[in-house]
């Protein structure tokens, strides 16, 4: 099936990430599932308030095809200005240039939740229940501070930043990205043959997180020793990622090969999480991915994790089941789904219990 977007970015197989020449955008129609070709989709029709429903449906169909086939795609013409993106990268570089003691003032480990700073080794995503490979990254998470969240879980609470850190650009970016996320989920709805506003009532207080990340260089030639971010699937609805020009993101195709997801200047990489796969009864894919650190350069990236309200009930979408395909998963709240995944990777977390709010 063809994705009628801007083009395709053909990824290269890479057992170890090496800095190759950028792949070319091409107009031929390869197999997305077998060759792991990541589509580039122009979403201007979802951004333009004057666009026609017909044009939005075309874009939504392109997105739905990518979601069913690979679970990853790039978006361009997304409405986020270049100066906003450039400012966020500069703020992120400034953040991780602070002394370690200053960053530790905002430690999420001390706060006991999932907001604040974590150092190298404090989150490890390649967890199999027996061994953990250390993630060579540090980060800072922040989100919205909606009233009433304390009643849902003590793990979602106020943001925590290092002293003297300028948070204004981060909070402005958070608001811009939440607006973009709402427009994107309208595209998901149309692509699932649902009313365009189907998801709107449960994204009124989105459980969204901005994560600023720094991957120090690693001299190792071994992939397992260069895991900036261990192999994992994302937890929630969708992720909108900004990555700098260093690269290192890889996805795993159906043949079990790790495939580079090259940098596309000015584009966001979008991927789906397990919550969306669950929501769509397996129709949309949550794909395994990882990051390999560069051997000589620092890497910075800024994922925006966009999820519905914490108390939203995630159950099979009406258009994703039939008498032949009954729901695979029981209904569950967004909050429970998220925290069931955070626990194994961040051991400081308390167990979330919606029946016993803390």
């Amino acid at each position: 099936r063809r994705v009628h977007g801007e083009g395709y970015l053909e990824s290269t197989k890479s057992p170890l990430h090496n800095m190759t020449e950028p792949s070319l955008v091409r107009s031929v129609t390869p197999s997305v599932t077998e060759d792991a070709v990541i589509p580039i989709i122009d979403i201007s029709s979802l951004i333009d308030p004057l666009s026609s429903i017909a044009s939005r449906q075309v874009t939504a169909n392109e997105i739905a095809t990518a979601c069913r086939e690979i679970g990853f795609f790039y978006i361009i013409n997304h409405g986020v200005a270049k100066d906003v993106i450039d400012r966020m990268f500069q703020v992120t570089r400034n953040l991780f240039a602070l002394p370690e003691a200053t960053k530790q003032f905002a430690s999420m480990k001390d706060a006991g939740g999932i907001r604040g700073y974590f150092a190298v080794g404090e989150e490890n995503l390649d967890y199999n229940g027996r061994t953990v490979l250390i993630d060579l990254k540090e980060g800072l998470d922040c989100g919205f501070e909606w009233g009433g969240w304390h009643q849902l879980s003590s793990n979602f609470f106020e943001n925590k930043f290092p002293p003297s850190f300028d948070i204004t650009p981060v909070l402005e970016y958070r608001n811009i990205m939440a607006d973009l996320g709402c427009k994107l989920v309208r595209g998901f709805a149309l692509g699932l043959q649902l009313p365009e506003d189907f998801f709107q009532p449960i994204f009124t207080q989105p459980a969204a997180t901005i994560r600023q990340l720094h991957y120090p260089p690693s001299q190792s030639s071994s992939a397992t020793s260069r895991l900036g971010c261990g192999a994992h699937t994302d937890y929630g609805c969708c992720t909108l990622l900004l990555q700098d020009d260093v690269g290192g993101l890889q996805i795993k195709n159906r043949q079990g090969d790790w495939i580079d997801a090259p940098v596309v200047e000015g584009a966001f990489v979008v991927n789906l999480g397990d919550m969306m796969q669950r929501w769509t009864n397996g129709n949309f894919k949550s794909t395994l991915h990882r990051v390999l650190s560069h051997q000589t350069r620092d890497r910075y990236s800024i994922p925006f994790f966009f999820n519905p309200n914490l108390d939203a009930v995630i159950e099979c979408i009406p258009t994703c089941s039939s008498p032949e395909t009954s729901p695979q998963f029981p209904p569950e709240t967004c909050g429970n789904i998220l925290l069931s995944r955070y626990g194994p990777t961040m051991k400081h977390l308390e167990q979330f219990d919606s029946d016993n709010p803390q």
Side-chain angles (χ1 to χ4, degrees):
R1 287 185 291 177
R2 177 173 172 76
V3 177
H4 303 282
E6 181 73 10
Y8 292 93
L9 198 70
E10 185 175 18
S11 301
T12 56
K13 293 183 180 180
S14 176
L16 287 179
H17 176 73
N18 49 39
M19 303 312 297
T20 56
E21 291 298 315
S23 301
L24 299 176
V25 175
R26 65 182 196 172
S27 59
V28 299
T29 310
S31 168
V32 172
T33 53
E34 294 180 4
D35 297 336
V37 177
I38 304 172
I40 302 174
I41 301 177
D42 181 337
I43 65 163
S44 55
S45 66
L46 302 181
I47 305 303
D48 182 0
L50 300 179
S51 66
S52 67
I53 184 62
S55 65
R56 296 197 298 275
Q57 187 67 63
V58 169
T59 303
N61 292 345
E62 297 167 6
I63 291 172
T65 298
C67 291
R68 291 188 179 100
E69 297 291 350
I70 193 170
F72 268 80
F73 55 98
Y74 298 90
I75 57 172
I76 60 172
N77 294 328
H78 42 65
V80 181
K82 183 179 183 300
D83 65 328
V84 171
I85 292 171
D86 292 344
R87 184 167 63 246
M88 271 303 295
F89 274 123
Q90 186 58 56
V91 166
T92 299
R93 288 189 289 269
N94 293 345
L95 167 66
F96 295 113
L98 294 172
E100 185 65 24
T102 303
K103 292 181 287 188
Q104 284 292 344
F105 181 86
S107 171
M108 67 168 62
K109 182 171 61 176
D110 294 341
I114 58 171
R115 299 282 177 85
Y117 172 77
F118 60 91
V120 171
E122 291 185 352
E123 184 195 49
N124 301 298
L125 293 173
D126 196 347
Y127 176 81
N128 61 16
R130 298 180 302 278
T131 60
V132 176
L133 299 173
I134 299 300
D135 283 7
L136 301 177
K137 70 178 190 296
E138 59 178 334
L140 187 141
D141 289 1
C142 78
F144 288 100
E145 298 174 297
W146 304 115
W149 275 27
H150 281 283
Q151 284 67 52
L152 291 175
S153 170
S154 63
N155 293 297
F156 293 90
F157 52 85
E158 68 274 3
N159 295 319
K160 195 171 184 182
F161 297 99
S164 74
F165 177 64
D166 183 8
I167 67 172
T168 301
V170 178
L171 299 184
E172 290 175 349
Y173 182 77
R174 176 197 65 185
N175 296 340
I176 290 169
M177 293 305 296
D179 181 65
L180 176 57
C182 286
K183 291 171 180 173
L184 187 60
V185 296
R186 292 174 72 87
F188 289 153
L190 288 174
L192 290 163
Q193 305 305 308
L194 296 165
E196 193 172 12
D197 61 356
F198 177 84
F199 293 111
Q200 184 174 333
I202 55 173
F203 279 90
T204 55
Q205 293 188 336
T209 298
I210 297 174
R211 170 166 284 194
Q212 295 168 270
L213 288 170
H214 169 225
Y215 299 85
S218 172
Q219 296 296 324
S220 175
S221 60
S222 164
T224 56
S225 299
R226 289 175 53 206
L227 283 174
C229 186
H232 67 287
T233 53
D234 285 357
Y235 309 160
C237 175
C238 63
T239 304
L240 294 86
L241 171 71
L242 280 179
Q243 54 177 341
D244 65 11
D245 63 352
V246 173
L249 175 64
Q250 296 184 327
I251 67 173
K252 199 168 195 177
N253 69 9
R254 293 188 180 182
Q255 288 67 45
D257 297 315
W258 286 106
I259 304 297
D260 289 334
V263 178
V264 177
E265 185 177 359
F268 286 94
V269 184
V270 179
N271 68 280
L272 305 182
D274 295 343
M275 186 185 300
M276 181 57 87
Q277 181 167 290
R278 177 182 186 135
W279 223 342
T280 61
N281 210 27
N283 282 276
F284 283 6
K285 307 303 181 187
S286 177
T287 301
L288 200 68
H289 55 285
R290 69 181 184 183
V291 173
L292 296 187
S293 298
H294 197 280
Q295 291 182 302
T296 60
R297 296 179 63 190
D298 294 89
R299 179 184 190 265
Y300 299 91
S301 69
I302 309 167
F304 180 76
F305 303 107
F306 193 60
N307 302 302
N309 303 354
L310 277 181
D311 59 353
V313 176
I314 308 304
E315 55 187 336
C316 183
I317 288 170
T319 56
C320 293
S321 65
S322 68
E324 294 76 31
T325 55
S326 58
Q328 301 177 41
F329 308 96
E332 186 55 275
T333 65
C334 170
N336 275 342
I337 291 170
L338 293 177
L339 286 175
S340 70
R341 294 295 304 281
Y342 275 109
T345 62
M346 290 183 165
K347 293 298 186 181
H348 67 275
L349 286 179
E350 298 172 357
Q351 179 63 40
F352 178 73
D353 184 350
S354 59
D355 296 325
N356 183 27
Q358 303 176 48

